[in-house]
Amino acid sequence: MEWSIQQIAREAGTTSRTLRHYGQIGLLAPARVGRNGYRYYDQTNLVRLQRILLLRDLGLNLDAIARILDAGTPDTREALHGHLRWLEQERDRIDRQIASVRTTLRKTERGEALMPAEVFDGFDHTRYKDEVIARWGEDAYRSGDRWWQGLSETEKQQFQQAQRDIGRDYAAAHAAGRPADAADVQAVTARHVRWLGTATQQTPSRTYLVGLGDMYVADPRFAANYGEPGDGTVEFVRDAMRVYAERHLTD
Amino acid sequence: MEWSIQQIAREAGTTSRTLRHYGQIGLLAPARVGRNGYRYYDQTNLVRLQRILLLRDLGLNLDAIARILDAGTPDTREALHGHLRWLEQERDRIDRQIASVRTTLRKTERGEALMPAEVFDGFDHTRYKDEVIARWGEDAYRSGDRWWQGLSETEKQQFQQAQRDIGRDYAAAHAAGRPADAADVQAVTARHVRWLGTATQQTPSRTYLVGLGDMYVADPRFAANYGEPGDGTVEFVRDAMRVYAERHLTD
DNA sequence: GGTAGAAGTTGACGCAACGTCAAAGTCAAG
DNA sequence: CTTGACTTTGACGTTGCGTCAACTTCTACC
């Protein structure tokens, strides 16, 4: 059982040009090439092609895909778990983009200014560029949270005051040795979440809050807002956020 | 107040090359170009650049960004709405992928047989939904055995159970050294053919059954359903199918 | 005023992953 | 034998810049 290039392309939902490209770069060679030069593909090719398309959809580039497929998957379960984690991360990223676009939409519809003049004041994320990229990838660096854009000066100051208060309370609780799931700590987190809700104009989802906690830990810009550097307060905050998310939020 | 290209780039967290590129494509012209050829940017440029970077982070391409920025607010809303719809669609697709990978994981952990297209569902088919649906009626099984789509979960499980039984019986007969044309083996094949008939809603033709046998051998996904890999069971099944086809079926 | 070094300029090529002609050969049907 | 669908191999186009290269200009310091 073998198929022509068009048949296999239709079957897999791609184009013949793509298949020729994959042949050219040695990613997927046809099972047989006729004397007329025609490419013929078999079942094995189809399976490999679909794995290629799967991995491509996961965002991997063809080079990486070739390495994965040819290295022989050591453990299917492991690989699938990896896919899953990647997919969930991807969904979270898209969720954040959706939230961001919604915020932008609301503001443009209300006729509010999209961008204040001193947008770059304060948060100079370029200083930590390398670290952020190393831990989160170029994308995270470029798309990082910029919800605070578009606020008035007064609003900004209020937010900053509230943020400082919350950060101070977290630091105090952590210094006092309180556990992250204690009621008083969770009360701080509740204020924190309300603060976030006001900032982003909507209640954060569970995965968003958890992801944000991880970002706090990963990103020194955020770490600077919570406790002294290296005293473990950021991790403490992350844990408290995770607890809160699992107790009170859904997706 | 005006800045050099590097200063603006650092401030906005991008590169001078990017700014030159934006100048070249007419997306962001510097406020002034010195007699020395140097580009100088002012406050207005900065605001526009910031809007550009924001929209870029939202995933829009530079062409779209130029149209939005140069057209004014109504188009902005329209574009953002469009982009929002796109993002939501993207998230749905990823959700389906996640469900698909989870299913795959569950089944591999239980050692159940994988239904190939189910594994890949959400990857290509949904995107080309119309095309796939259009050609779904015409030749379902020649296109790769996806008869089981549209069945209820219970029905699917029944089919899988039946398939496992048949596979087990084949493997046992082969292990016992029975010939493919023996009566007891042919009895298994008869069940097999009935199973196929139910699945495809029609009695298989002779050439179809023979071709399917060859496909079993060629395709590791099917081989996995019959005996241990490499123990010759698949070939045994193919032979039994061929015998049955030649004895009982026509085209 | 000389000089080093940082920063600026304009090309021009490179990259990923194909899309999109173009010119020409092949196949299946009527 | 013609027609039309399908295939082949080039080869250039696309997006959003990165990355030299070769050269000029600005700034700082001796």
Side-chain angles (χ1 to χ4, degrees):
Chain A
M1 193 78 125
E2 61 184 19
W3 301 278
S4 75
I5 194 168
Q6 283 275 19
Q7 289 172 325
I8 207 95
R10 264 200 306 271
E11 182 79 15
T14 180
T15 70
S16 62
R17 177 65 179 90
T18 299
L19 293 177
R20 249 177 274 120
H21 182 57
Y22 290 170
Q24 214 164 22
I25 65 175
L27 181 56
L28 179 71
R32 186 172 74 81
V33 177
R35 278 195 309 290
N36 49 19
Y38 280 29
R39 294 164 175 82
Y40 296 102
Y41 297 84
D42 64 6
Q43 282 285 344
T44 316
N45 290 144
L46 182 56
V47 172
R48 184 178 170 98
L49 173 57
Q50 284 182 316
R51 293 189 66 190
I52 291 172
L53 296 179
L54 165 69
L55 293 170
R56 193 190 63 178
D57 279 349
L58 295 183
L60 301 179
N61 64 26
L62 300 186
D63 207 43
I65 292 175
R67 280 201 305 277
I68 289 174
L69 290 186
D70 295 336
T73 321
D75 183 10
T76 312
R77 276 191 45 219
E78 183 55 36
L80 286 174
H81 274 296
H83 292 340
L84 198 54
R85 278 195 301 275
W86 196 92
L87 280 171
E88 283 166 346
Q89 216 175 305
E90 189 61 10
R91 187 189 51 189
D92 291 351
R93 196 175 65 78
I94 287 184
D95 278 344
R96 284 196 296 275
Q97 282 197 7
I98 286 176
S100 171
V101 173
R102 287 219 176 105
T103 306
T104 308
L105 258 175
R106 249 194 311 278
K107 289 186 179 173
T108 57
E109 278 171 0
R110 288 201 210 129
E112 291 176 26
L114 203 59
M115 227 66 63
E118 354 170 3
V119 278
F120 299 117
D121 280 358
F123 277 175
D124 182 9
H125 51 287
T126 63
R127 266 184 296 170
Y128 305 102
K129 182 176 174 180
D130 291 341
E131 288 170 54
V132 173
I133 287 180
R135 304 178 79 153
W136 283 85
E138 179 67 25
D139 238 10
Y141 170 69
R142 283 201 315 194
S143 70
D145 263 0
R146 297 195 187 140
W147 54 265
W148 43 268
Q149 284 175 3
L151 300 181
S152 75
E153 265 320 296
T154 329
E155 286 173 310
K156 271 191 198 169
Q157 284 180 12
Q158 285 176 352
F159 274 117
Q160 283 176 10
Q161 186 55 50
Q163 188 187 32
R164 271 195 299 274
D165 291 344
I166 291 166
R168 192 200 52 209
D169 291 350
Y170 269 133
H174 179 234
R178 308 289 302 147
D181 59 349
D184 51 346
V185 176
Q186 286 296 301
V188 177
T189 308
R191 267 164 58 212
H192 189 182
V193 169
R194 278 199 302 279
W195 179 79
L196 279 170
T198 317
T200 62
Q201 310 273 30
Q202 70 185 62
T203 309
S205 74
R206 171 185 287 202
T207 50
Y208 175 68
L209 195 65
V210 172
L212 190 64
D214 291 332
M215 206 154 116
Y216 280 7
V217 173
D219 191 333
R221 291 176 296 163
F222 289 105
N225 295 324
Y226 300 100
E228 296 300 311
D231 67 357
T233 300
V234 205
E235 289 76 12
F236 177 72
V237 171
R238 177 201 55 196
D239 295 340
M241 288 168 78
R242 195 188 300 270
V243 168
Y244 186 91
E246 280 164 12
R247 282 191 192 162
H248 303 289
L249 300 179
T250 64
D251 275 328
Chain B
M1 188 66 164
E2 59 182 19
W3 302 277
S4 76
I5 193 166
Q6 284 275 20
Q7 289 172 324
I8 274 280
R10 261 201 308 273
E11 207 156 347
T14 182
T15 70
S16 62
R17 178 65 179 90
T18 299
L19 294 177
R20 248 177 276 118
H21 182 57
Y22 290 171
Q24 216 165 20
I25 65 175
L27 181 56
L28 179 71
R32 185 172 74 82
V33 178
R35 301 211 59 81
N36 48 17
Y38 280 30
R39 293 164 174 80
Y40 296 101
Y41 297 83
D42 65 6
Q43 195 73 33
T44 317
N45 291 144
L46 183 56
V47 172
R48 185 178 170 96
L49 173 58
Q50 171 56 24
R51 297 189 64 190
I52 291 171
L53 296 181
L54 168 67
L55 293 170
R56 193 189 65 176
D57 280 350
L58 296 183
L60 302 180
N61 65 26
L62 300 186
D63 206 44
I65 293 176
R67 281 200 305 275
I68 289 173
L69 291 186
D70 296 335
T73 43
D75 274 2
T76 308
R77 279 188 43 215
E78 183 57 34
L80 286 176
H81 271 298
H83 189 56
L84 192 56
R85 278 196 299 276
W86 188 85
L87 278 174
E88 283 166 345
Q89 221 174 305
E90 216 16 47
R91 189 188 47 190
D92 289 349
R93 196 175 67 79
I94 288 185
D95 279 344
R96 283 197 300 278
Q97 288 190 6
I98 287 176
S100 167
V101 173
R102 288 222 174 100
T103 306
T104 308
L105 261 173
R106 261 209 330 276
K107 291 190 175 174
T108 57
E109 278 168 2
R110 288 201 211 131
E112 290 178 28
L114 293 177
M115 291 187 167
E118 191 174 0
V119 173
F120 296 116
D121 195 20
F123 294 112
D124 53 346
H125 295 165
T126 53
R127 260 194 254 171
Y128 306 94
K129 198 173 171 183
D130 293 341
E131 291 171 35
V132 172
I133 286 178
R135 60 189 287 279
W136 237 86
E138 1 172 311
D139 50 4
Y141 56 73
R142 263 196 305 162
S143 78
D145 268 5
R146 300 205 179 130
W147 50 266
W148 44 264
Q149 273 184 357
L151 298 182
S152 75
E153 270 316 300
T154 329
E155 285 170 322
K156 277 187 192 172
Q157 284 180 11
Q158 286 175 352
F159 274 117
Q160 286 180 8
Q161 186 57 50
Q163 188 188 32
R164 271 195 298 275
D165 291 343
I166 292 165
R168 192 200 51 209
D169 292 350
Y170 269 134
H174 179 234
R178 308 289 302 147
D181 59 348
D184 50 348
V185 175
Q186 287 297 301
V188 175
T189 308
R191 268 163 57 212
H192 188 182
V193 170
R194 277 198 305 278
W195 178 80
L196 279 171
T198 317
T200 62
Q201 309 276 33
Q202 70 186 71
T203 309
S205 72
R206 171 185 287 202
T207 50
Y208 173 66
L209 195 65
V210 172
L212 190 63
D214 290 333
M215 206 156 111
Y216 281 8
V217 173
D219 190 335
R221 292 175 299 169
F222 288 105
N225 294 323
Y226 301 98
E228 298 299 312
D231 68 352
T233 300
V234 205
E235 287 78 6
F236 176 71
V237 171
R238 177 201 55 196
D239 294 339
M241 288 167 79
R242 195 188 302 267
V243 168
Y244 185 92
E246 282 164 12
R247 283 191 191 163
H248 303 289
L249 301 178
T250 64
D251 275 329

